[in-house]
């Protein structure tokens, strides 16, 4: 298991009081939608996007969609 | 931009036009390329370029009459480059004739009369194209008049080596044959016309009458200077026959043979003889090459007359070559240099980018990076303005919904802040119901030096009669730069309305960008820069007792007012009145460069913007003086001590000129809002509530810097925390015990890591993305 996944396992949803677990999330940008697996609260659906992902892969996707 | 405009714009950039030498060479040898090869010690590459144009390289490298030298740029400084001597060393060092590959044989026959250089070139070119060629020569050898050249200058084995090329081509030679001008035998002129598809006459300076061709006034055969056609449709003529025999011009003979071959080939294919031949022979190139600052250095003499240059001498001579090119704008503009090419290419990239329907728009970033500063137009010999092209392209991208949303979003939101209630204001002077002038400091001056705005307004009210209104807002420049034409017009109109409500007073602005926006877009509005006004009406009293030590400043002129000579003068006058010494930067006044802010570059491409700023601040070690607050802040942000003219006027001791007085994005908005509130209170005596923030946040400097880099405002962070605390929608890292929350006010999702403290929320980190979470 990657470092990032271990870190994400420690994230708790404050409202529901449960640990986040991997689940399906739909992301969308510039008219494209893409299903991804992210840690989220199984009960209320609150999602966690770690900094590395937001500033790494997600930013690349944003840039390439913007230039389409 | 349609095809026509594209062409017109491309044509303005002369960078791809050949250097004078190549244009002046009748067969267009790439001298610059050859010289570059010599400089690299690559003589083989040099000879390859030479041979590409020259059919008999050994001969020409020794006897060329160098018409190219007349057009050599270096001639304007001292001596032209010794081009032929450089050709010779290339040929001598590396020349091994390469096999000649011709096209498949055609079933057309051409007669060439005379085996001089022009006839042989014609034969060579046509044979390579697959024509069967028969050369008739009156003597027993090839070469014609080159045989008159001394053996020491042109060794005979060189001649034989060059002509050995004909062993590989479908050319037949008939020696000792004199073509009769009379009669109709197969060896007569009329006979040739009948048995061949075309005839080329390259008979040198022989008798030429009685060939039954039309003659010109001077008694010579009439020959079309471009096509070399005679009065007989099958017959072409050139070489010394055309030019006369006074001067030896071997390379012109070669060019004639080549032109005749082109004409004959076209004739055989029923193509136009005249189309597109303007640049076939020598022409004058419009390539611009700046020779400013190049020191005199006479040519390297040829000491060994028999052997020519040694490699050392050749290299020394090659170094004198200017390797002519333009790139004036690329030298001046860091942005153009950053993308590694020059406008002729860029214009096409922009055009292609706009034409793509499906696929990746590779030039988006490039289009969005330009400062739109107009320096390129100023330095370009063809006045090509890349800024205009980029701005127009941005506008089209916006219209078609192809503008990347991330490009200008932040800047436009900042603009909306300034045109909104937090900042926008328009008032007559307290106690007045009309206004003679309106002071308009612009959004960035107010953001950078709010205290000085107040002081200056007070000063103007004291000094000027008839009422001085105050107008706060934004001129719309960010929208203009972003290509958001509709938003720009809307912003301008809003401003115009307010201005008309005040009775259309003359506008005094301290911001060069506001000045130029108004001047270019609101023809009815009379606008003046604060600096020319102050120069005229006198400075605030405090100015002359400034606490700044008397010292020297290097003046940075703003790019948006590059042609405002009166402004440039006033700024210098003011500095003089204040007792400062002035230094002129290498690029100043109409040649000034952008501070990195123009065109929103700082938002769209921070890396290039930093390169632009760093290049500018390295022009001098002296402290800089800017009369635009934004210019000053950009320099100071990169570690240059720089002052804003208004700070000098009021002797603000708090200003150190370094990055400590550069407010961040959040602070800029805060400064604007606070300025408005305090003016309303202090000048117009209104009661204004301080706004209450929903939550109190504590942001350490390190995090503040991260937020600045990521263009996240304090206000965004507050929104996230307020939302999380109100809804309870937040996560927690069970190890560090920090909360993590996200919120998307409009188009960006912000994430904040924070913990709660007694006196508020401590922010540990913030980041954002534009991709939306749909659940
Ligand atoms: S200044 Fe720039 S755009 Fe103008 S001709 Fe030279 S290289 Fe081309
Ligand atoms: S300086 Fe060099 S490149 Fe320029 S014209 Fe002369 S030989 Fe050609
Ligand atoms: S930044 Fe200025 S000089 Fe450079 S291309 Fe753009 S408008 Fe021209
Ligand atoms: Zn939950």
């Amino acid at each position: 298991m990657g470092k990032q996944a271990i870190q994400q396992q420690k994230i708790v949803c404050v409202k529901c009081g449960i640990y986040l677990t991997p689940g399906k999330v739909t992301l969308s940008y510039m008219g494209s939608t893409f299903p991804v697996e992210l840690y989220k609260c199984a009960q209320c659906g609150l999602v966690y996007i770690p900094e590395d992902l937001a500033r790494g892969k997600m930013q690349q996707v944003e840039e390439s969609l913007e230039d389409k | 931009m349609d095809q026509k405009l594209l062409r017109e714009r491309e044509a303005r950039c002369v960078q791809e036009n050949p250097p004078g030498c190549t244009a002046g060479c009748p067969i267009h040898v790439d001298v610059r390329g050859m010289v570059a090869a010599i400089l690299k010690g690559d003589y083989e590459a040099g000879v390859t370029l030479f041979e590409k144009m020259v059919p008999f390289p050994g001969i020409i490298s020794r006897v060329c009459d160098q018409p190219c030298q007349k057009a050599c740029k270096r001639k304007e400084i001292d001596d032209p480059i010794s081009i032929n001597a450089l050709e010779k060393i290339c040929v001598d060092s590396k020349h091994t004739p390469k096999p000649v590959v011709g096209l498949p044989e055609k079933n057309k026959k051409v007669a060439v009369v005379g085996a001089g250089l022009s006839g042989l070139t014609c034969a060579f070119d046509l044979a390579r194209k697959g024509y069967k060629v028969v050369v008739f020569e009156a003597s027993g050898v090839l070469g014609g008049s080159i045989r008159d050249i001394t053996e020491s200058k042109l060794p005979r084995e060189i001649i034989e080596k060059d002509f050995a090329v004909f062993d590989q081509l479908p050319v037949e030679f008939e020696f000792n044959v004199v073509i009769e001008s009379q009669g109709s035998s197969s060896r007569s002129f009329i006979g040739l016309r009948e048995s061949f598809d075309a005839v080329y006459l390259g008979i040198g300076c022989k008798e030429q009458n009685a060939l039954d061709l039309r003659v010109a006034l001077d008694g010579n055969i009439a020959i079309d200077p471009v096509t070399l056609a005679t009065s007989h449709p099958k017959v072409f003529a050139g070489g010394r026959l055309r030019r006369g025999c006074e001067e030896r011009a071997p390379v012109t003979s070669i060019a004639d043979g080549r032109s005749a071959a082109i004409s004959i080939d076209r004739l055989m294919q029923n193509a136009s003889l005249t189309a597109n031949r303007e640049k076939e022979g020598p022409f004058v190139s419009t390539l611009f090459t700046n020779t400013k600052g190049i020191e005199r250095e006479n040519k390297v003499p040829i000491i060994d007359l028999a052997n020519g240059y040694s490699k050392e001498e050749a290299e020394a001579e090659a170094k004198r070559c200017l390797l002519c090119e333009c790139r004036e704008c690329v030298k001046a503009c860091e942005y153009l240099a950053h993308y590694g090419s020059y406008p002729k290419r860029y214009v096409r990239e922009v055009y292609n980018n706009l034409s793509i329907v499906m696929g990746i728009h590779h030039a988006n970033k490039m289009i969005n990076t330009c400062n739109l500063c107009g320096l390129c137009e100023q330095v370009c010999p063809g006045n090509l303005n890349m800024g205009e092209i980029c701005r127009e392209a941005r506008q089209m991208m916006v219209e078609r919904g192809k503008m990347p949303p991330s490009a200008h979003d932040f800047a436009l939101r900042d603009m909306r802040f300034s045109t909104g209630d937090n900042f926008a204001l328009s008032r007559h002077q307290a106690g007045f119901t009309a206004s003679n002038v309106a002071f308009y400091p612009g959004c960035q001056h107010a953001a950078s030096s709010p205290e000085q705005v107040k002081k200056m307004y007070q000063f103007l009210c004291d000094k000027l009669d008839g009422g001085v209104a105050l107008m706060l807002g934004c001129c719309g420049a960010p929208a203009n730069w972003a290509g958001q034409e509709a938003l720009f017009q809307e912003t301008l109109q809003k401003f115009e309305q307010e201005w008309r409500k005040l009775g259309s007073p003359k506008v005094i602005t301290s911001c060069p960008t506001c000045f130029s926006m108004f001047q270019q877009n609101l023809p009815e509005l009379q606008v003046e820069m604060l600096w020319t006004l102050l120069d005229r009406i006198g400075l605030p009293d405090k100015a002359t007792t400034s606490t700044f030590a008397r010292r020297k400043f290097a003046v940075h002129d703003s790019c948006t007012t590059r042609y405002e000579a009166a402004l440039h003068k006033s700024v210098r006058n003011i500095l003089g009145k204040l007792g400062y010494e002035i230094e002129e930067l290498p690029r100043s006044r109409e040649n000034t460069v952008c501070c990195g802010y123009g065109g929103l570059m700082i938002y769209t491409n921070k890396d290039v913007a930093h390169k632009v700023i760093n290049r500018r601040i390295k022009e001098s070690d002296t402290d800089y003086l800017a009369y635009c607050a934004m210019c000053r802040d950009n320099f100071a942000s990169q570690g240059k001590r720089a002052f804003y003219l208004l700070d000098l006027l009021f002797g603000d001791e708090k200003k150190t000129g370094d990055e400590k007085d550069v407010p961040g994005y959040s602070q800029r908005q805060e400064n604007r809002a606070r300025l408005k509130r305090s003016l309303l209170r202090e000048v117009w005596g209104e009661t204004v509530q301080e706004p209450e923030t929903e939550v109190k946040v504590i942001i350490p400097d390190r995090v503040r810097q991260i937020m600045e880099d990521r263009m996240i405002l304090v206000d965004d962070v507050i929104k996230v925390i307020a939302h999380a605390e109100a809804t309870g929608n937040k996560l927690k890292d069970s190890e560090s015990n920090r909360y993590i929350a996200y919120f998307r006010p409009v188009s960006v999702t912000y994430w904040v890591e924070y913990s709660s403290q007694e006196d508020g929320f401590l922010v540990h980190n913030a980041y954002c993305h534009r991709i939306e979470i749909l659940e």
Side-chain angles (χ1 to χ4, degrees):
Chain A
M1 196 179 283
K3 203 174 113 217
Q4 232 186 34
I6 295 176
Q7 188 224 328
Q8 294 187 49
Q9 281 183 327
K10 295 179 213 138
I11 309 289
V12 180
C13 173
V14 175
K15 208 186 230 171
C16 309
I18 56 171
Y19 280 98
L20 302 194
T21 47
K24 290 229 173 332
V25 175
T26 307
L27 299 180
S28 153
Y29 194 51
M30 307 225 18
S32 301
T33 55
F34 21 93
V36 290
E37 186 153 285
L38 289 174
Y39 273 76
K40 64 187 261 193
C41 173
Q43 211 160 303
C44 74
L46 211 56
V47 175
Y48 177 51
I49 294 179
E51 181 177 10
D52 300 359
L53 181 62
R55 296 187 42 78
K57 185 82 193 146
M58 273 171 72
Q59 200 174 330
Q60 283 170 20
V61 172
E62 279 171 19
E63 280 168 19
S64 60
L65 286 172
E66 288 194 337
D67 283 345
K68 265 223 172 125
Chain B
M1 178 166 31
D2 58 10
Q3 285 270 348
K4 200 174 137 239
L5 189 54
L6 167 71
R7 296 270 152 61
E8 196 260 315
R9 284 172 167 171
E10 280 182 319
R12 282 169 178 270
C13 176
V14 297
Q15 166 67 8
E16 286 182 4
N17 295 14
C21 53
T22 298
C25 167
I27 49 173
H28 309 310
V29 169
D30 179 2
V31 178
R32 180 179 62 190
M34 188 186 74
V35 171
I38 294 173
L39 289 170
K40 276 194 263 162
D42 188 351
Y43 288 85
E44 196 164 343
V47 83
T48 304
L49 288 174
F50 185 59
E51 266 182 337
K52 196 174 153 208
M53 308 314 282
V54 182
F56 311 117
I59 297 168
I60 289 300
S61 71
R62 278 166 171 78
V63 304
C64 188
D65 52 310
Q66 309 186 77
C68 52
Q69 280 193 326
K70 286 198 209 81
C72 173
K73 194 78 193 170
R74 181 92 217 184
K75 195 169 154 238
E76 293 170 19
I77 305 165
D78 37 48
D79 304 321
I81 301 300
S82 304
I83 296 171
N84 199 223
L86 294 178
E87 290 167 347
K88 176 171 181 296
I89 190 164
C90 283
V91 173
D92 287 0
S93 352
K94 269 284 179 268
H95 192 224
T96 32
K98 298 183 183 74
V100 182
V101 216
L103 294 178
E105 267 192 42
K106 293 189 173 72
N107 113 51
K108 299 269 186 198
K109 272 169 48 188
V110 181
V112 169
V113 184
L117 285 180
S118 83
L120 290 178
T121 301
C122 185
F124 175 81
D125 281 4
L126 288 170
R128 276 197 307 179
K129 290 201 161 106
Y131 294 98
K132 274 176 246 148
V133 182
V134 182
V135 178
F136 298 93
E137 167 56 37
S139 77
V141 286
L142 301 182
S145 66
I146 58 162
R147 301 265 172 191
D148 305 340
I149 298 168
T150 58
E151 169 93 40
S152 63
K153 183 150 171 65
L154 182 58
R156 296 304 177 249
E157 73 263 21
I158 296 281
I159 300 179
E160 309 317 331
K161 197 172 155 194
D162 272 357
F163 292 157
V165 72
F166 288 109
D167 299 344
Q168 306 171 54
L169 289 166
V171 180
E172 258 175 60
F173 291 96
E174 301 230 7
F175 291 106
N176 305 310
V177 174
V178 179
I179 297 299
E180 297 150 14
S181 51
Q182 309 292 329
S184 55
S185 78
S186 65
R187 296 294 165 87
S188 74
F189 184 53
I190 290 172
L192 289 187
R193 281 182 349 212
E194 265 155 26
S195 43
F196 287 88
D197 296 289
V199 178
Y200 175 68
L201 296 177
I203 47 179
C205 352
K206 306 246 169 53
E207 265 293 324
Q208 39 167 279
N209 40 20
L211 280 181
D212 88 347
L213 295 169
R214 199 159 55 81
V215 293
L217 286 176
D218 60 1
N220 293 321
I221 296 174
I223 302 171
D224 182 284
V226 174
T227 63
L228 303 190
T230 65
S231 58
H232 190 286
K234 271 189 178 181
V235 181
F236 298 82
R240 297 181 101 185
L241 168 65
R242 181 169 79 91
R243 283 191 330 270
C245 298
E246 291 76 47
E247 273 170 76
R248 203 177 281 288
V251 74
T252 307
S253 288
I254 287 184
D256 275 11
R258 180 148 291 162
S259 290
I262 291 169
S263 293
I264 291 170
D265 184 41
R266 290 189 183 196
L267 179 72
M268 300 293 120
Q269 305 197 39
N270 278 324
S272 157
L273 287 191
T274 51
N276 286 324
R277 300 191 72 162
E278 300 77 20
K279 299 211 165 152
E280 204 171 284
F283 62 93
V284 178
S285 177
T286 51
L287 176 66
F288 175 84
T289 302
N290 196 338
T291 54
K292 220 182 273 158
I294 295 172
E295 310 253 320
R296 284 185 67 96
E297 187 192 341
N298 290 351
K299 68 177 175 203
V300 176
I302 301 171
I303 294 161
D304 181 345
L305 283 178
N307 293 308
Y309 280 149
S310 66
K311 287 203 170 167
E312 292 69 39
E313 288 165 332
E315 204 187 299
E317 181 66 1
K319 275 198 187 125
R320 292 179 61 243
C321 171
L322 309 175
L323 300 170
C324 290
E325 58 170 352
C326 177
R327 284 193 201 260
E328 283 301 289
C329 57
V330 182
K331 288 185 244 166
C333 167
E334 187 67 30
Y335 153 71
L336 290 174
H338 174 83
Y339 284 93
S341 188
Y342 43 83
K344 185 156 200 150
R345 300 272 174 88
Y346 297 147
V347 173
R348 185 154 287 261
E349 280 172 40
V350 172
Y351 176 82
N352 289 342
N353 204 74
L354 293 174
S355 316
I356 298 171
V357 181
M358 292 279 280
I360 299 166
H361 295 71
H362 290 286
N364 280 353
K365 188 90 168 178
M366 182 192 96
I367 292 169
N368 283 328
T369 299
C370 172
N371 284 130
L372 314 180
C373 73
L375 175 59
C376 44
E377 179 184 29
Q378 164 64 17
V379 299
C380 173
N383 300 112
L384 183 65
N385 187 338
M386 272 308 288
E388 191 181 297
I389 292 166
C390 288
R391 204 187 76 82
E392 178 195 288
R394 292 179 198 179
Q395 232 173 293
M396 286 167 89
M397 286 157 69
V398 170
E399 274 165 29
R400 297 172 186 175
K402 290 286 182 190
M403 178 58 84
S406 67
H408 306 117
D409 188 24
F410 184 81
L412 294 174
R413 273 188 279 144
D414 188 56
M415 183 185 103
R416 286 204 177 86
F417 178 91
S418 297
T419 53
D421 281 345
N422 280 314
F423 182 56
L425 180 72
S426 173
R427 291 284 161 107
H428 286 300
Q429 185 173 337
F432 283 72
T433 51
S435 298
N436 205 14
V437 298
F439 180 44
Y440 189 80
C443 62
Q444 299 299 9
H445 176 184
S448 270
S449 290
E451 282 308 309
Q452 323 299 25
V453 171
K454 279 202 234 169
K455 288 183 193 160
M456 185 43 71
Y457 182 55
Q458 197 51 57
F459 171 75
L460 293 175
C461 287
D462 293 347
K463 192 92 180 177
L464 302 175
D465 299 328
V468 181
L470 182 74
M471 292 185 81
L472 300 178
C474 170
C475 66
N480 179 288
W481 289 340
Q484 300 275 353
E485 192 56 25
L487 179 59
F488 174 57
Q489 291 304 337
E490 185 192 309
T491 310
L492 264 186
Q493 270 160 29
K494 236 164 83 187
F495 168 83
E496 201 185 347
Q497 266 170 22
E498 292 301 324
W499 168 71
R500 286 195 191 282
K501 269 193 234 158
L502 291 173
S504 311
K506 174 176 175 178
V507 172
I508 304 295
T509 180
S510 47
C511 173
T513 300
C514 297
F515 175 84
S516 72
M517 286 292 149
F518 293 154
Q519 208 186 34
Q520 286 163 25
N521 297 285
L522 294 175
E524 285 176 40
L525 180 138
Q526 201 196 345
V527 57
E528 180 176 1
M529 284 294 303
L530 176 65
W531 317 114
T532 47
L533 177 84
L534 289 181
D535 186 22
R536 216 173 43 242
I537 64 171
L539 306 180
D541 292 339
K542 214 172 163 211
T544 30
T545 59
S546 163
T547 50
F548 282 90
R550 311 263 127 177
R551 57 177 157 182
K552 186 161 85 175
F553 289 107
V555 180
H556 165 79
D557 291 299
S558 294
C559 65
T560 43
T561 44
R562 68 171 67 253
Y563 297 113
E564 298 300 320
L567 167 64
H568 304 153
K569 195 161 155 244
S570 285
V571 166
R572 285 154 179 84
N573 286 349
I574 292 173
L575 286 172
K577 288 177 194 170
L578 293 172
Y580 298 117
E581 207 187 308
I582 298 164
E583 177 183 317
E584 292 294 345
L585 288 169
R587 293 195 185 280
S588 65
R589 300 176 197 256
E590 71 272 24
N591 288 310
T592 193
V593 296
C594 176
C595 69
Y597 190 73
L600 303 176
M601 183 197 266
I602 199 101
Y603 302 104
T604 52
N605 201 333
K606 207 193 287 168
D607 294 345
V608 178
H610 284 171
K611 276 169 91 174
V612 170
I613 300 171
N614 276 292
R615 173 158 161 181
R616 180 56 160 178
I617 63 184
K618 293 208 168 73
E619 280 183 28
S620 168
D621 287 335
T622 309
D623 291 351
Y624 281 13
L625 183 281
Y627 45 93
C628 165
M630 202 65 224
C631 298
R632 187 218 83 97
D633 286 350
N634 276 326
F635 299 145
S637 78
Q638 295 301 298
K640 176 76 189 174
R641 192 191 291 274
F643 293 88
Y644 178 43
L645 183 49
L646 209 54
D647 292 338
L648 293 191
L649 281 180
F650 289 113
D652 186 339
E653 288 148 75
K654 285 198 300 272
K655 298 277 176 172
T656 54
D658 55 28
E659 61 251 75
K660 279 197 292 296
D661 23 272
V662 179
Y665 293 125
S666 301
Q667 191 63 48
R668 301 185 89 84
Q669 294 192 352
E670 179 66 31
N671 285 350
R672 290 179 198 135
R674 226 184 257 157
L675 172 66
K676 174 177 174 175
R677 291 196 300 269
S678 71
L679 281 165
L680 283 177
R681 273 189 217 114
E682 293 161 23
V683 180
W684 286 277
E686 293 185 12
T687 346
V688 191
Q689 297 296 324
E690 281 302 299
E692 289 200 11
T693 45
E694 301 163 83
V695 293
K696 189 173 176 326
V697 291
I698 304 135
I699 307 177
D701 281 350
R702 181 191 58 85
V703 179
R704 229 171 247 281
Q705 189 54 53
I706 289 176
M707 287 166 54
E708 196 67 11
D709 290 344
R710 298 176 181 177
M711 298 197 280
I712 299 172
L713 300 176
V714 174
D715 201 43
D716 299 324
V717 165
I718 290 175
K719 279 189 188 127
V720 175
I721 298 177
H723 177 260
E725 293 301 315
T727 59
N729 290 341
K730 56 183 179 182
L731 307 168
K732 187 174 182 176
D733 185 325
S734 59
E735 214 152 71
S736 65
N737 270 324
R738 289 175 182 173
Y739 293 121
I740 304 163
Y742 62 98
F743 181 58
R744 187 177 180 91
V746 188
S747 51
V748 178
T749 303
Y750 297 97
W751 290 77
V752 179
E753 288 172 30
Y754 65 99
S755 45
S756 63
Q757 289 189 341
E758 262 168 54
D759 52 347
F761 296 98
L762 177 65
V763 179
H764 302 283
N765 192 15
Y767 52 95
C768 58
H769 53 76
R770 307 184 68 89
I771 290 183
E772 197 176 352
I773 306 164
L774 290 184
E775 313 307 329

